Amino acid sequence: FYAPWCHWCQRLAPVWEKSTATLQQKFPGDNRLIMAKVDCTSPGGDALCLKHRVDAFPTILVFRKDDTGESQHESYHGERSVPAITAWAEHFLAQAKRHIAKTNVVDSDMDGVPDSHNGVGCMVSGLVHVQRAPGMLKIQAASDSHEFHWETMDVSHVINHLSFGPFLTEQAWSVLPHSVAASVGAMDEKSFSSEQHIPTTHEHYVKVVRHDVSPPGGRRKAVVAYGYVGHSNNIQKAGEVPTVRINYDILPIVVQITEKSQQLYHFVTQLCAIVGGVFTVAGIVAAIMDKGVNLMTKKAELGKLG
């Protein structure tokens, strides 16, 4: 899948043609392997590229005879040279001839890095050291060997985990109150989707607050945890390059949480106060009721009850 204006597609074109000729010479009359190309800017070709979510050029996909409409087509990520592409293609012929087991993950040069595999998208993970000042993490597609069609770029994503501050041990987690523990990864496992074929930028705003939680007894150091609240917006603007932006603001305040066990005499004092209060209220109610009964009795004796 290519676009005529793409520099990398223009460089790949003669390699693709030569790879096709090499395979035809090596396997004459074998129609089990067809090397095809699709212009994603041509009538009919654009719809096919949209159907298969092609937004980077060039893209090389594998279509098998037994694929269904829901099949994921593995994509090629290997070297763009005639020997590499022909060796990769011969791997599929070997699968078709049942010389090797069928697999969607192909490593034709046996270097430990698959030349092709299923699925689209990527996983971003890592640790970033930042200043204690407002900043932004920006995630955007970039490549030294592709050009992109931004109008169809889809940056739908799932935030598996996002946290600030040091990693917490199991012991540290056990000390945190539930509300603080929930705020440490407030955006974990949340999904954000873009509307199909509409360039969308996802903007996340995060306010971070430090919490110092002192364990009961005061014998251990306070646990430092950075909780946050997050809000998200979608931006759909013509000419906007689809991006994921995480704007964070580490607030210059510290919330200190200390848990203290109650002394026995405090408990006894509170209990006595509660019991005394109950007896006092009960005495007042009893006095009012007694006075009311005496009043009704006197009226009955005087015949004034009506």
Side-chain angles (χ1 to χ4, degrees), residues 18-133:
K18 191 171 182 179
S19 299
T20 302
T22 300
L23 289 169
Q24 290 176 346
Q25 291 175 4
K26 194 169 184 177
F27 306 100
D30 195 332
N31 295 323
R32 284 175 292 186
L33 182 64
I34 299 175
M35 304 281 283
K37 56 184 179 180
V38 177
D39 181 356
C40 290
T41 65
S42 65
D46 54 351
L48 189 62
C49 293
L50 285 175
K51 177 181 178 181
H52 295 291
R53 302 173 68 95
V54 175
D55 47 33
F57 305 116
T59 293
I60 301 176
L61 298 180
V62 179
F63 291 78
R64 298 174 183 270
K65 186 177 181 180
D66 56 355
D67 283 343
T68 64
E70 301 299 323
S71 296
Q72 284 192 343
H73 304 285
E74 60 258 50
S75 56
Y76 178 73
H77 299 281
E79 183 182 339
R80 295 175 188 170
S81 65
V82 174
I85 292 176
T86 54
W88 173 69
E90 288 176 20
H91 211 82
F92 294 106
L93 278 178
Q95 290 185 27
K97 296 176 180 178
R98 302 182 185 276
H99 293 167
I100 58 174
K102 180 179 177 180
T103 176
N104 291 338
V105 179
V106 176
D107 182 11
S108 57
D109 53 8
M110 305 296 289
D111 62 352
V113 179
D115 298 315
S116 61
H117 55 78
N118 269 352
V120 295
C122 57
M123 177 175 288
V124 179
S125 63
L127 178 66
V128 181
H129 292 276
V130 299
Q131 299 292 329
R132 294 190 180 183

Side-chain angles (χ1 to χ4, degrees), residues 237-272:
K237 182 179 178 182
E240 180 85 16
V241 176
T243 308
V244 176
R245 293 195 287 260
I246 301 176
N247 301 276
Y248 60 87
D249 186 5
I250 303 176
L251 302 180
I253 60 176
V254 177
V255 178
Q256 295 181 332
I257 302 174
T258 303
E259 182 179 345
K260 295 182 178 179
S261 57
Q262 192 177 48
Q263 299 294 334
L264 179 61
Y265 69 86
H266 281 300
F267 172 73
V268 173
T269 302
Q270 291 178 355
L271 181 62
C272 291

Side-chain angles (χ1 to χ4, degrees), residues 46-55 70 120 149-156 192-202 234 236 242:
D46 54 351
L48 189 62
C49 293
L50 285 175
K51 177 181 178 181
H52 295 291
R53 302 173 68 95
V54 175
D55 47 33
E70 301 299 323
V120 295
H149 188 200
W150 299 116
E151 293 182 2
T152 61
M153 178 66 69
D154 186 349
V155 292
S156 299
F192 303 90
S193 299
S194 305
E195 293 185 36
Q196 193 174 18
H197 310 323
I198 299 179
T200 303
T201 289
H202 297 267
N234 292 344
Q236 295 178 342

